[in-house]
């Protein structure tokens, strides 16, 4: 290999690296600008397949990566937050959303790349006090670098096109569609980004052949490579599904089937597709318009395959269920997290959503502990003692893993200041939930002490304990719902309930003292009685802390919206 050839290859790879970096930087900027609004897209997924397709397209347009969207969807499916049918529709939308990058590249604005870089740099590095300006600056800076990478690749491909060996190799790809598909597949497997490989394809196609007029590969030669790129991008999802639930694997396989089926259907009509796209696209010399033609082919192909498959989502669901048979069941009492997925960490909005689901699940485990501790203490059912102690171990494990996960979210490059504040609050919530479990454990230990020493409570004392348990159970239910939904109204209700709990504790203490003076209660049971009331009151404090975190998050969100973040 000559030094000149080596330099061309290195420059080509360098241009590709700058392109990928610019695309990732732009994606991070878009995520920050979109902020928590992206979470609202989740609500669209429960409506119908069409809304799922739309949601998938929107998320992918922001993430600038269909692979990132499919990995996120696999995480949600594995956690049980998304049904298989919903996941399939979102992936169909992701295939449409990923065509945005090719459309951007097709706009021949490479001459203005450094202008975008300069303006974006100024806004990104010198407007630190204006958050939205920084986010827009990051988007422009990444957008400019994206085209700097494209320009670098273009300048490298021009002398490469003069090489007879390179020209002959490209001609083989253009003449044998199956070979083109294989090349596109391999390129995407190596780069792990169909957007990047399609950008390379667009630049190659804009390079003139030996005659200096027509494209070195032509549209009919580029289309099979484009099909291969589409298949290659599904590998990331397949890898992400390893170790996931059955529905996660089915989701990944549905993505592969979707893209392969489209290729198998349309590979026989490449000349006709090229003719149609040429008719639909702008006219002009081939090397000047072929980038737009490839972008339009990409959009037309993915849109058509989606329209063809959309009425048959149930069929596709049946196919993948046949390939991966059996029920997809999740155990609620597994000794560890269910919802957390590290593959989603680079999308803070969705990762935070998973963390909240895990925290809500952990809170529900403590609610189960509360009911069992009540059975043990008030009902004398000591069979519940071991159940509470074992569940407490699970609660502690989930708390530790969730805190680790939340800490990882904080290190994501695309996280916004509002999201940082929200995640920081959730770190405290994780500890408060774990404390509730500890108080339940304390109560069952008191139940054992009560049974061992045969302490007998007066009827009034029993009623007071029973009523206090009722108040705490209601409060914990409201707390869990406010945490899951982010409802400030429910959180305010919890705060009001906590004030009543505190007042009730003082009243119970005073009433017990009166009973002691009047010899209506035994002094021996005082410690146990007051301890159980105290532990219940501390649960109320923890619920209060969680409610305050919800309210704080709601206010921070309102401020974020007011600032236009």
């Amino acid at each position: 290999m000559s030094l000149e050839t080596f330099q061309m290859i290195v420059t080509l790879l360098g241009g590709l690296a700058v392109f990928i970096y610019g695309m990732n930087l732009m994606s991070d900027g878009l995520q920050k600008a979109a902020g928590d609004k992206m979470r609202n897209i989740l609500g669209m997924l429960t409506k119908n397949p069409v809304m799922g397709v739309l949601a998938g397209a929107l998320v992918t347009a922001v993430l600038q990566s269909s692979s990132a969207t499919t990995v996120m969807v696999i995480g949600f499916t594995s956690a049980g937050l998304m049904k298989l049918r919903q996941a399939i529709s979102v992936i169909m939308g992701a295939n449409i959303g990923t065509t945005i990058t090719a459309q951007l590249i097709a706009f021949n604005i490479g001459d203005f790349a450094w202008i975008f870089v300069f303006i974006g740099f100024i806004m990104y590095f010198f407007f630190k006090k204006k958050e939205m300006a920084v986010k827009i600056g990051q988007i422009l800076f990444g957008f400019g670098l994206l085209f700097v990478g494209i320009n670098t690749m273009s300048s490298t491909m021009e002398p490469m096109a003069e090489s007879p060996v390179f020209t002959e190799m490209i001609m083989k790809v253009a003449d044998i569609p199956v070979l083109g598909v294989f090349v596109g597949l391999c390129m995407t497997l190596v780069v792990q980004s169909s957007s990047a490989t399609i950008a390379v394809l667009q630049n190659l196609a804009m390079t003139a052949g030996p005659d200096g007029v027509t494209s070195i590969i032509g549209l009919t030669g580029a289309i099979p490579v484009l099909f291969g790129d589409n298949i290659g991008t599904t590998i990331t999802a397949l890898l992400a599904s390893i170790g996931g639930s059955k529905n996660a694997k089915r989701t990944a396989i549905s993505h592969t089937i979707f893209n392969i089926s489209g290729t198998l259907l349309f590979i026989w009509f490449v000349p006709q597709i090229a003719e149609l796209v040429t008719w639909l696209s702008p006219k002009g010399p081939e090397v000047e318009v072929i980038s737009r033609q490839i972008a339009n082919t990409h959009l037309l192909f993915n849109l058509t395959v989606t329209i063809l498959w959309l009425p048959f989502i149930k069929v596709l669901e049946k196919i993948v269920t046949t390939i991966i048979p059996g029920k997809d069941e999740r155990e609620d009492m597994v000794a560890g997290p269910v919802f957390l997925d590290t593959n989603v960490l680079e999308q803070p909005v969705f990762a935070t959503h998973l963390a909240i689901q895990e925290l809500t699940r952990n809170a529900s485990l403590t609610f189960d502990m509360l009911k069992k501790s009540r059975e043990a203490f008030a009902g004398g059912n000591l069979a519940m003692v071991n159940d509470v102690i074992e569940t407490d171990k699970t609660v502690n494990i989930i708390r530790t893993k969730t805190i680790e996960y939340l800490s990882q979210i904080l290190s994501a490059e695309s996280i916004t200041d509002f999201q940082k504040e929200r995640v920081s609050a959730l770190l405290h919530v994780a500890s408060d939930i774990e404390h509730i479990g500890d108080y339940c454990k304390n109560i069952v230990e008191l139940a054992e002490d009560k049974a061992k020493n045969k302490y007998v409570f007066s009827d009034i004392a029993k009623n007071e304990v029973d009523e206090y348990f009722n108040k705490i159970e209601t409060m914990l239910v409201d707390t869990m719902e406010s945490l899951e939904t982010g409802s400030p109204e429910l959180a305010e209700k919890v705060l009001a309930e906590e004030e009543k709990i505190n007042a009730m504790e003082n009243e119970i203490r005073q009433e017990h003292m009166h009973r002691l003076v009047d010899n209506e209660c035994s002094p021996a049971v005082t410690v146990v009685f007051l301890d159980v009331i105290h532990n219940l009151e501390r649960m109320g404090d923890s619920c209060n802390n969680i409610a305050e975190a919800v309210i704080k998050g709601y206010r921070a969100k309102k401020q974020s919206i007011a600032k236009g973040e």
Side-chain angles (χ1 to χ4, degrees):
M1 181 186 294
S2 66
L3 179 62
E4 184 179 355
T5 302
F6 177 75
Q7 287 177 331
M8 282 194 298
I9 294 173
V10 170
T11 305
L12 180 65
L13 293 176
L16 180 61
V18 172
F19 171 87
I20 294 174
Y21 176 71
M23 187 171 64
N24 289 338
L25 197 64
M26 183 173 69
S27 172
D28 288 344
L30 286 167
Q31 286 189 67
K32 290 177 182 177
D36 201 53
K37 300 180 185 71
M38 286 183 68
R39 190 173 182 272
N40 297 331
I41 296 173
L42 291 173
M44 300 169 61
L45 305 180
T46 60
K47 295 182 179 179
N48 56 59
V50 175
M51 296 303 289
V53 170
L54 180 60
L58 289 174
V59 171
T60 306
V62 173
L63 299 181
Q64 285 292 293
S65 170
S66 61
S67 294
T69 302
T70 53
V71 166
M72 180 198 74
V73 169
I74 286 169
F76 277 33
T77 308
S78 185
L81 295 176
M82 189 181 293
K83 294 180 180 179
L84 179 58
R85 199 169 301 176
Q86 293 171 328
I88 293 172
S89 67
V90 176
I91 284 176
M92 289 178 177
N95 272 22
I96 296 173
T98 195
T99 64
I100 298 297
T101 308
Q103 291 290 339
L104 289 174
I105 295 169
F107 287 104
N108 193 18
I109 55 176
D111 295 339
F112 305 99
W114 289 109
I115 296 176
F116 285 108
V117 170
F118 177 71
I119 296 174
F121 176 81
I122 295 296
M123 294 178 70
Y124 187 36
F125 288 96
F126 296 102
F127 286 77
K128 295 296 184 183
K129 293 183 179 180
K130 296 183 178 180
E131 291 187 21
M132 184 50 70
V134 172
K135 293 167 188 174
I136 294 173
Q138 183 175 344
I139 294 169
L140 292 176
F141 188 48
F143 186 69
L145 285 179
L146 185 150
F147 281 97
V148 169
I150 289 173
N151 289 345
T152 303
M153 288 188 287
S154 296
S155 61
T156 306
M157 286 181 180
E158 288 177 5
M160 286 179 66
E162 298 175 2
S163 167
V165 176
F166 181 75
T167 303
E168 185 179 349
M169 181 177 66
I170 293 300
M171 291 302 179
K172 287 182 179 179
V173 173
D175 293 338
I176 307 173
V178 175
L179 181 59
V181 173
F182 180 73
V183 168
L185 171 62
C186 292
M187 287 171 62
T188 306
L189 282 176
V190 172
V191 180
Q192 285 291 294
S193 170
S194 61
S195 294
T197 52
I198 290 170
V200 172
L201 177 63
Q202 286 174 292
N203 276 273
L204 175 64
M206 286 189 293
T207 305
D211 61 4
V213 179
T214 57
S215 166
I216 190 172
I217 190 170
L219 185 56
T220 54
I223 290 175
V225 180
L226 184 68
F227 290 168
D229 290 335
N230 260 20
I231 296 173
T233 196
T234 67
I235 303 301
T236 305
L238 287 171
L239 293 174
S241 71
I242 295 174
S245 66
K246 289 183 178 180
N247 269 349
K249 295 181 176 68
R250 290 165 183 160
T251 302
I253 292 172
S254 70
H255 190 203
T256 305
I257 291 174
F258 180 81
N259 285 4
I260 290 178
S261 64
T263 297
L264 291 176
L265 177 62
F266 290 107
I267 193 70
W268 311 102
F269 306 101
V270 169
Q272 291 80 2
I273 294 171
E275 187 177 342
L276 175 62
V277 171
T278 302
W279 179 73
L280 292 173
S281 303
K283 305 299 183 287
E286 187 178 36
V287 291
E288 294 180 11
V289 298
I290 195 167
S291 179
R292 169 63 55 200
Q293 291 174 346
I294 291 172
N296 290 345
T297 302
H298 194 204
L299 174 60
L300 183 64
F301 171 73
N302 285 326
L303 191 60
T304 303
V305 177
T306 298
I307 292 172
L308 291 175
W309 264 116
L310 196 55
F312 303 102
I313 285 184
K314 290 183 180 180
V315 176
L316 185 52
E317 184 181 26
K318 181 68 176 176
I319 292 171
V320 295
T321 304
T322 302
I323 295 173
I324 307 289
K327 291 184 178 180
D328 191 67
E329 297 177 348
R330 294 186 307 111
E331 293 291 337
D332 288 334
M333 277 296 293
V334 294
V338 168
F339 295 105
L340 308 183
D341 190 325
T342 54
N343 291 313
V344 188
L345 285 170
E346 287 306 312
Q347 286 78 53
V349 172
F350 300 109
T352 303
H353 178 73
L354 290 177
I356 291 173
Q357 293 297 317
E358 194 63 59
L359 288 171
T360 304
R361 170 178 175 258
N362 212 21
S364 70
L365 292 178
T366 63
F367 181 71
D368 182 62
M369 291 173 69
L370 176 60
K371 290 192 295 183
K372 288 180 178 178
S373 65
R374 180 178 187 171
E375 285 185 48
F377 188 87
N381 186 0
L382 295 184
M384 296 291 102
V385 173
N386 191 58
D387 285 353
V388 170
I389 292 173
E390 289 302 313
T391 305
D392 184 60
K393 293 177 183 178
T394 300
V395 168
N396 292 340
I397 292 171
I398 293 172
R399 177 248 184 191
T400 301
K401 295 296 183 181
T402 305
I403 286 178
E404 290 177 1
Y405 189 78
L406 289 167
S407 301
Q408 288 176 297
I409 295 175
L410 285 172
S411 63
E413 292 183 6
S414 58
I415 193 169
T416 64
D417 289 339
F418 159 64
Q419 289 164 353
K420 286 179 182 177
E421 188 174 347
R422 188 181 188 191
V423 170
S424 297
L426 292 176
L427 287 168
H428 295 291
V429 168
S431 295
D432 278 304
I433 291 171
E434 190 260 343
H435 291 160
I436 294 172
D438 290 340
Y439 301 137
C440 291
K441 184 181 175 184
N442 292 343
I443 290 174
V444 295
E445 289 173 352
L446 289 170
E448 286 185 308
D449 187 33
K450 177 174 173 249
K452 178 181 178 181
N453 292 286
K454 298 181 181 180
Y455 293 136
V456 179
F457 283 20
S458 67
D459 290 340
I460 295 175
K462 288 178 182 178
N463 291 336
E464 286 174 341
V465 170
D466 195 55
E467 185 179 357
Y468 214 66
F469 266 110
N470 285 336
K471 295 285 186 184
I472 294 297
E473 284 184 9
T474 300
M475 191 176 183
L476 186 50
V477 168
D478 290 338
T479 302
M480 288 189 294
E481 190 174 348
S482 69
L483 174 63
E484 186 172 23
T485 63
S487 168
E489 292 81 14
L490 271 173
E492 292 285 358
K493 183 181 176 184
V494 172
L495 298 186
E497 289 171 341
E498 204 267 339
E499 289 182 6
K500 293 178 182 178
I501 288 290
N502 290 340
M504 188 175 176
E505 185 203 17
N506 291 330
E507 184 180 340
I508 288 175
R509 284 178 179 274
Q510 291 175 6
E511 290 295 324
H512 185 71
M513 292 304 112
H514 291 317
R515 290 195 298 273
L516 282 174
V517 172
D518 295 337
N519 292 319
E520 293 177 7
C521 277
S522 167
V525 303
T526 298
V527 173
V528 175
F529 178 79
L530 294 181
D531 275 356
V532 73
I533 294 299
H534 177 67
N535 276 282
L536 289 170
E537 188 274 334
R538 294 299 298 274
M539 289 186 206
D541 290 341
S542 293
C543 289
N544 184 84
N545 294 341
I546 296 169
E548 286 181 343
V550 171
I551 292 170
K552 184 179 179 181
Y554 174 75
R555 289 172 180 168
K557 182 178 180 179
K558 284 186 69 177
Q559 291 175 358
S560 176
I561 293 172
K563 291 178 183 178
E565 296 176 4

